[in-house]
Structures are given as C-alpha cells and as structure tokens.
C-alpha cells in the first residue's frame, strides 16, 4: 500500500499543478541551498550537522529538514552511504532513484514515511538536501507536499 502511494506520488510529478503562493522559501545562508516550505511549518532547530534547519508542522506530526553541504567524494558513493544509513536505522526503502546529479529515496518505519532528495549544486562541489518525515496514515495529505519539496530544491545563493 505504501509503495503504491509513493509510486503514485512520483507519477504525479509530471502532471501536478502549481501549488499555493503561501509557501515560503528557506535558503541556507552558508551553502545557498533553497527549498520551499509549506504554510504551517515553523523553524524548530538546526539539522544535526548544524548546516541547515528543521521545520516542524504546527500539529507536531511531521518535520522537514533542509540543508546544504560540501560534497566530500563522488556523488554516487555519497548517496549509497546516505541510503545505506537510512536502512541501517531500520527504514525499509520503498523507492530509490540515483542519477549522476540527483537522488531521491523514501521508505517506511514504525508507521512513518520519509521522502528525501539531494541534488548536486555549484558545479558538483556541493549538495542541496531535503528530507520530509510524516505519519503513514497521512500519505494522501503529504503527496502534494513531497512533490513541491522535490521540485523546489535548488541552488539559490553563492557557492561555498
């Protein structure tokens, strides 16, 4: 069931309409990585590495992490490491797509779903990253949010 919902989300990417203008744009001050943040989310801290922000829904049921980072090696190796870390934390991956300049993956664990996307920026020297986590019961409500996050991630500032 969850796999089908994620597949439907990905298929919708090609035909989805633009969403409301009440979203805001977060731009990482150090790396210039940007992503749209939906209404009802407020900044609630920094990412574990200190290079981005965590946004929490007003109801506390979901979070968005957005950050920029230098690319420490080759992109495919870095993505394999990150995806492997998710699996190592007990997430069952239901979707994975890795290309030479972007990667997206998602999975489930204990009634929650996550969607993550990373793109190369700054001529391949940096990445822009976003990760959404929410209850599996809310999948239909989060399909358009995940879609917008994935489409909006980009380089909005200078390179480090």
């Amino acid at each position: 069931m969850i796999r089908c919902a994620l597949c439907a989300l990905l298929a919708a990417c090609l035909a989805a309409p633009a969403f409301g203008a009440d979203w805001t744009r977060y731009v990482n001050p150090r790396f210039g990585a940007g992503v749209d943040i939906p209404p009802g989310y407020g900044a609630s801290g920094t990412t574990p590495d200190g290079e981005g922000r965590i946004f929490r829904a007003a109801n506390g049921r979901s979070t968005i992490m957005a950050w920029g980072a230098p690319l420490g090696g080759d992109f495919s190796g870095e993505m394999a490491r990150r995806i492997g870390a998710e699996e190592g934390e007990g997430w069952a991956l239901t979707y994975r797509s890795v290309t030479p300049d972007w990667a997206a993956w998602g999975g489930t664990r204990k009634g929650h779903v996550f969607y993550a996307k990373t793109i190369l920026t700054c001529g391949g020297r940096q990445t822009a990253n976003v990760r959404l986590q929410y209850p599996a019961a809310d999948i239909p409500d989060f399909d358009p949010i995940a879609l917008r996050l994935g489409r909006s991630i980009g380089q909005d500032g200078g390179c480090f």
Side-chain angles (χ1 to χ4, degrees), residues 25-34 68 126 128 154-160:
R25 185 87 176 155
Y26 165 73
V27 178
N28 176 277
R30 182 171 180 203
F31 293 100
Q126 295 177 189
Q155 181 67 30
D156 286 16
C159 298
F160 181 75

Side-chain angles (χ1 to χ4, degrees), residues 15-114:
F19 298 103
D22 50 354
W23 288 51
T24 58
R25 185 87 176 155
Y26 165 73
V27 178
N28 176 277
R30 182 171 180 203
F31 293 100
V35 67
D36 292 349
I37 302 297
Y41 281 76
S44 69
T46 60
T47 56
D49 65 3
E51 297 295 355
R53 297 288 276 218
I54 298 172
F55 298 88
R56 185 170 306 281
N59 66 10
R61 293 176 53 91
S62 63
T63 58
I64 298 168
M65 293 192 320
W67 72 99
L71 183 63
D74 79 299
F75 186 71
S76 63
E78 176 66 15
M79 294 304 95
R81 186 193 65 72
R82 287 190 197 178
I83 292 168
E86 301 275 14
E87 291 175 311
E89 292 176 4
W91 290 95
L93 292 187
T94 56
Y95 170 72
R96 173 189 334 210
S97 183
V98 179
T99 74
D101 58 359
W102 65 267
W105 63 100
T108 64
R109 180 180 75 182
K110 298 179 183 176
H112 284 84
V113 174
F114 85 92

